[in-house]
């Protein structure tokens, strides 16, 4: 059985599941080079089909993580909210209509659109599935747990924003749902907008900023904006903070009276903004804990699967791991809406009896991979000279250069599915240098100075550096850095003393693992600073993207598979002086 998952919402993506096993999954943004693109994922679908060597007509079913006819219910909820708050009516009405029209059109005519645009062959009839069940499936079907509680939290599904459920052998039983307009995702997006960042886009910046502030607005936020209910759920006061208004950066007078004027995008970040970020982050964490504790009471289970866009908040995930009463938590690498495409394919496979084994997801390498020949051709076309080295000398060379303070773009194997670079499309650096953040920002990434960089560490040696109870292969948990290690790896320690850790096990990514081992032997520290391979664009996908990005920066080395290219060999002949 071959099922194609297709998600056309923000972070649109496609995934292919064959006989219960994942064959391919990728976000459309990587192909069309537009971050978080909302569109039919035609190129991602073509990639998935090509990986399996099939055409659209060979697919048994198309699974879509959205019951589009339920937008009627969503529209009526929006209408109800508008009637209660007439001042929201104009903006909310226009936005809702535009979005509804696009969703409807693409999904109603999906079969025809896919058939015409993918490869001209017939498309099987699409099956439209509950959005939150697809999020849930994206975690539970690939988690190590036979039986677990499930918490799904995002901006909004067809009409819900939160789902509490439990799973046993791939079946899902829904326990409670929270409906629009009460949304944790939209609460955090609205605060993101209030702080002058882009909602639905820059939430991770707010999470990073929170560590610099004091949560002095948390009590007022809790009293006036987001309150916990005794039934384990929560309520958002949309009369004060409505996502649609916040998106337009129009905050109601009372909100401004309580918390001050919203920050303009280019205004300086002050202590009040840091405090607001810290307060919103704390209120989010407390609400998630409230939900998770309710879930624990309802299910009495020891394991938790977490999914939905809010599950990218790794600081909150870590609090759940420590305080919610669950022994273990699994979060898939694509926890947001791109992951719902994979979840849809897995969920439909299960509903048709095809999910018999449990395949635990240990890596995120489900995207396109490229041969050494195509990497070589891309380098040749750009006039880059490359040399090919076997794995061991390659890693020795790269580790040596990293230890000398050089930066390395590391392009390997298949692209990661989900927003994190996990050693296949990464920019690597030495975490031991205090000035490394400034150096990276100067040479590559023009980003806010308060945003932290993350470490990769050999799984079995993570305990020497971090207070981490479980492996964290997808960089979705933070951990306190041990006092004894803070001085050793200063470039990856956030201001609050934590780090967003990626643990690298023995078999998921052999070449990256070898590099970490080699760097560890050379320096005594098996840790690398790992950030994504991109500059103000989606993470690179093809060798051409990699070469083009390399040439736009001052990074010294580019590694593509076994090929090594040096900055001083660039066509423009600029040779950087030795430091
Ligand atoms: Fe979602």
């Amino acid at each position: 059985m071959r099922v194609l998952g297709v998600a056309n919402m923000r972070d649109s993506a496609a995934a292919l599941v064959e006989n219960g096993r994942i064959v391919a999954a990728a976000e459309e943004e990587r192909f069309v080079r537009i971050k978080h693109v909302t569109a039919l994922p035609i190129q991602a679908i073509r990639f998935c089909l090509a990986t399996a060597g099939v055409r659209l007509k060979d697919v048994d079913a198309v699974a879509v993580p959205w019951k589009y006819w339920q937008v009627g219910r969503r529209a009526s909820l929006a209408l109800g909210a508008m009637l209660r708050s007439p001042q929201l009516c104009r903006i909310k009405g226009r936005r809702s209509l535009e979005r509804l029209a696009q969703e409807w059109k693409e999904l109603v005519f999906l079969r025809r659109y896919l058939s015409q645009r993918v490869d001209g062959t017939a498309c099987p009839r699409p099956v439209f599935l509950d959005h939150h069940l697809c999020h849930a499936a994206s975690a539970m079907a690939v988690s190590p747990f036979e039986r677990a509680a499930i918490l799904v939290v995002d901006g909004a599904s067809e009409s819900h924003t939160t789902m509490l459920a439990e799973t046993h052998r791939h079946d899902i039983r829904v326990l409670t749902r929270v409906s629009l307009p009460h949304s944790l995702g939209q609460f955090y997006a609205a605060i993101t907008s209030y702080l002058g960042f882009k909602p639905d886009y820059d939430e991770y910046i707010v999470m990073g900023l929170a560590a610099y502030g004091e949560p002095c607005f948390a009590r007022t936020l809790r009293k006036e904006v987001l309150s916990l209910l005794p039934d384990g759920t929560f309520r958002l006061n949309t009369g004060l903070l409505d996502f649609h208004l916040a998106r337009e950066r129009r905050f109601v007078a009372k909100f401004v009276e309580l918390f001050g004027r919203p920050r303009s995008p280019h205004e300086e970040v002050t202590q009040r903004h840091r405090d607001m970020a810290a307060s919103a982050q704390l209120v989010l964490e407390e609400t998630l804990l409230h939900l998770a504790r309710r879930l624990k009471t309802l299910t009495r289970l020891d394991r938790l699967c977490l999914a939905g866009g809010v599950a990218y908040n790794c600081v909150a995930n870590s609090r759940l791991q420590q305080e919610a009463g669950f022994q273990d938590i699994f979060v898939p690498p694509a926890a947001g809406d791109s992951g719902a495409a994979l979840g849809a394919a897995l969920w439909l496979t299960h509903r048709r009896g095809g999910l018999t084994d449990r395949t635990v997801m240990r890596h995120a390498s489900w995207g396109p991979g490229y041969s050494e020949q195509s990497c070589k051709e891309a380098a040749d076309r750009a006039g880059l000279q490359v040399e090919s080295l076997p794995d061991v000398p390659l890693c020795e060379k790269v580790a040596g250069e990293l230890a000398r303070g050089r930066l390395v773009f590391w392009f390997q194997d298949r692209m990661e599915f989900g927003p994190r670079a996990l050693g296949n499309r990464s920019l690597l650096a030495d975490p031991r240098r205090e000035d490394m953040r400034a150096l990276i920002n100067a040479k590559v990434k023009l980003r806010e100075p308060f945003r932290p960089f993350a470490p990769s560490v050999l799984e079995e040696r993570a305990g020497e550096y971090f207070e981490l109870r479980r492996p964290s292969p997808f960089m979705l948990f933070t951990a306190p850095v041990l006092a004894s290690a803070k001085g050793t790896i200063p470039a990856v320690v956030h201001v609050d003393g934590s780090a967003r850790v990626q643990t690298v096990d023995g078999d998921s990514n052999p070449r990256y693992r070898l590099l970490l081992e080699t760097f560890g032997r050379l320096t005594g520290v098996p840790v690398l600073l790992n950030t994504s391979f991109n500059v103000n664009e989606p993470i690179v996908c093809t060798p051409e993207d990699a070469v083009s990005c390399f040439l736009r920066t001052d990074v010294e080395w580019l590694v593509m598979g076994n090929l090594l290219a040096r900055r001083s060999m660039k066509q423009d002949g600029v040779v950087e002086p030795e430091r």
Side-chain angles (χ1 to χ4, degrees):
M1 190 188 337
R2 195 176 284 134
V3 182
L4 179 70
V6 175
N8 71 328
M9 58 277 293
R10 183 178 169 275
D11 285 336
S12 63
L16 189 69
V17 172
E18 237 174 33
N19 301 325
R21 294 190 180 272
I22 304 168
V23 173
E27 284 98 351
E28 183 74 356
E29 65 159 30
R30 309 290 167 87
F31 301 95
V32 300
R33 311 303 300 155
I34 302 169
K35 262 188 173 182
H36 302 305
V37 69
T38 304
L40 279 181
I42 302 298
Q43 298 210 46
I45 294 172
R46 285 187 188 143
F47 148 70
C48 288
L49 296 176
T51 305
V54 299
R55 305 185 75 187
L56 190 58
K57 67 177 173 52
D58 304 318
V59 166
D60 296 299
V62 169
V64 181
W66 198 263
K67 289 189 165 181
Y68 69 88
W69 57 89
Q70 284 196 5
V71 290
R73 180 167 150 70
R74 187 164 169 177
S76 65
L77 283 166
L79 189 66
M82 281 189 262
L83 291 174
R84 285 195 301 277
S85 176
Q87 62 169 334
L88 308 184
C89 190
R90 197 177 58 80
I91 293 168
K92 204 163 185 169
R94 179 164 54 80
R95 289 242 169 229
S96 299
L97 278 178
E98 280 169 10
R99 206 174 46 239
L100 287 183
Q102 189 188 337
E103 272 172 19
W104 267 83
K105 201 171 152 208
E106 284 184 356
L107 294 179
V108 170
F109 300 109
L110 185 66
R111 201 172 175 188
R112 190 198 305 168
Y113 284 159
L114 292 190
S115 175
Q116 284 170 354
R117 296 187 202 168
V118 173
D119 59 12
T121 64
C123 176
R125 185 181 294 280
V127 181
F128 297 93
L129 301 160
D130 182 289
H131 183 69
H132 278 180
L133 286 179
C134 295
H135 270 312
S138 77
M140 70 82 187
V142 295
S143 81
F145 317 140
E146 191 78 359
R147 188 168 203 145
I150 304 177
L151 178 59
V152 174
V153 189
D154 64 3
S157 70
E158 296 87 347
S159 56
H160 300 108
T161 65
T162 305
M163 182 178 84
L164 277 60
E166 65 180 350
T167 175
H168 184 216
R169 290 190 179 169
H170 298 141
D171 285 331
I172 297 174
R173 188 164 77 95
V174 177
L175 303 168
T176 310
R177 299 215 202 214
V178 178
S179 290
L180 276 169
H182 309 293
S183 163
L184 273 183
Q186 296 198 3
F187 160 75
Y188 209 79
I191 297 290
T192 302
S193 176
Y194 173 81
L195 290 172
F197 302 105
K198 204 169 162 190
D200 271 348
Y201 200 89
D202 287 340
E203 279 72 8
Y204 60 96
I205 298 181
V206 175
M207 185 180 76
L209 189 62
Y212 291 83
E214 287 299 320
C216 48
F217 298 111
R219 183 181 290 204
T220 316
L221 274 176
R222 181 64 80 214
K223 183 162 168 266
E224 303 284 349
V225 180
L226 186 73
S227 40
L228 303 180
L229 300 181
D231 67 355
T233 64
F234 60 91
R235 191 170 180 80
L236 184 65
N237 180 359
T238 46
L240 262 195
L241 187 69
D242 183 274
F243 177 70
H244 301 82
L245 271 182
R247 211 183 172 119
E248 304 271 325
R249 304 193 41 73
R250 290 169 46 175
F251 292 85
V252 298
K254 185 161 182 214
F255 192 87
V256 177
E257 205 176 285
L258 286 170
F259 302 104
R261 196 173 51 78
R263 173 180 170 265
S264 306
H266 300 293
E267 204 180 316
E268 192 194 345
V269 174
T270 66
Q271 193 54 41
R272 181 173 66 84
H273 303 131
R274 295 180 198 112
D275 292 346
M276 190 61 176
S279 307
Q281 175 67 26
L282 180 67
V283 167
L284 176 87
E285 289 167 19
E286 287 172 356
T287 312
L288 286 170
L289 273 170
H290 185 65
L291 289 162
R293 285 180 181 138
R294 174 68 180 158
L295 190 52
K296 174 78 189 172
T297 309
L298 288 172
T299 63
R300 299 183 182 282
L301 294 169
D302 289 330
R303 290 174 171 80
L304 174 66
C305 289
L306 201 57
V310 176
Y312 284 139
N313 194 304
C314 50
V315 180
N317 293 352
S318 302
R319 275 202 74 182
L320 289 179
Q321 183 140 56
Q322 282 150 21
E323 299 174 44
F326 292 96
Q327 280 173 18
D328 205 356
I329 300 186
F330 177 83
V331 193
D337 281 344
S338 59
L342 175 59
L346 289 164
W347 184 232
L348 188 62
T349 302
H350 171 61
R351 282 193 6 184
R352 297 191 173 177
L355 211 57
T356 43
D357 304 335
R358 173 165 296 277
T359 313
V360 179
M361 195 187 278
R362 300 197 189 280
H363 64 79
S365 313
W366 304 110
Y370 298 87
S371 66
E372 185 162 318
Q373 184 57 30
S374 45
C375 294
K376 173 91 172 60
E377 285 167 9
D380 287 348
R381 275 195 292 276
L384 266 181
Q385 289 177 36
V386 291
E387 66 176 315
S388 180
L389 290 172
D391 285 358
V392 171
L394 177 82
C395 289
E396 279 170 359
K397 173 77 182 164
V398 172
E401 290 298 312
L402 286 165
R404 290 171 66 204
R406 302 300 165 92
L407 304 183
V408 178
F409 277 134
W410 183 256
F411 179 98
Q412 301 287 345
D413 198 25
R414 294 178 66 173
M415 183 179 71
E416 296 89 346
F417 183 45
R420 300 273 162 264
L422 299 168
N424 291 352
R425 301 288 187 276
S426 290
L427 170 66
L428 305 177
D430 186 345
R432 298 171 305 154
R433 283 179 58 156
E434 182 94 52
D435 62 344
M436 194 46 86
R437 289 184 209 206
L439 200 68
I440 293 175
N441 277 329
K443 289 192 174 181
V444 194
K445 305 216 160 192
L446 303 168
R447 68 185 204 176
E448 297 75 13
F450 49 82
R451 277 176 55 200
F453 286 110
S456 300
V457 60
L458 290 179
E459 185 179 295
E460 68 277 16
R461 294 191 60 187
E464 295 171 33
Y465 299 88
F466 310 101
E467 259 179 57
L468 192 67
R469 285 191 301 165
R470 306 265 163 206
S472 168
F474 304 132
M475 238 183 223
L476 286 167
F477 293 92
T478 59
V481 180
L482 296 177
S484 55
K486 278 184 184 154
T488 314
I489 48 169
V492 291
V493 185
H494 197 24
V495 63
D496 61 359
S498 72
R500 182 161 46 85
V501 185
Q502 177 200 2
T503 52
V504 179
D505 68 15
D507 46 32
S508 303
N509 193 338
R511 198 175 283 147
Y512 190 44
R513 165 101 191 168
L514 181 63
L515 179 65
L516 275 163
E517 285 170 351
T518 312
F519 187 79
R521 261 199 312 279
L522 187 68
T523 63
V525 180
V527 184
L528 285 172
L529 182 156
N530 173 12
T531 184
S532 50
F533 188 164
N534 62 334
V535 181
N536 299 325
E537 61 182 332
I539 294 177
V540 300
C541 178
T542 63
E544 284 76 15
D545 298 336
V547 168
S548 141
C549 184
F550 176 58
L551 292 173
R552 279 182 278 125
T553 67
D554 291 329
V555 169
E556 288 88 351
W557 293 94
L558 167 66
V559 180
M560 294 192 289
N562 286 90
L563 300 178
L564 186 65
R566 190 179 172 182
R567 177 171 164 68
S568 57
M569 291 177 182
K570 277 189 192 175
Q571 194 178 29
D572 60 14
V574 176
V575 179
E576 206 197 34
E578 292 286 315
R579 269 183 290 127

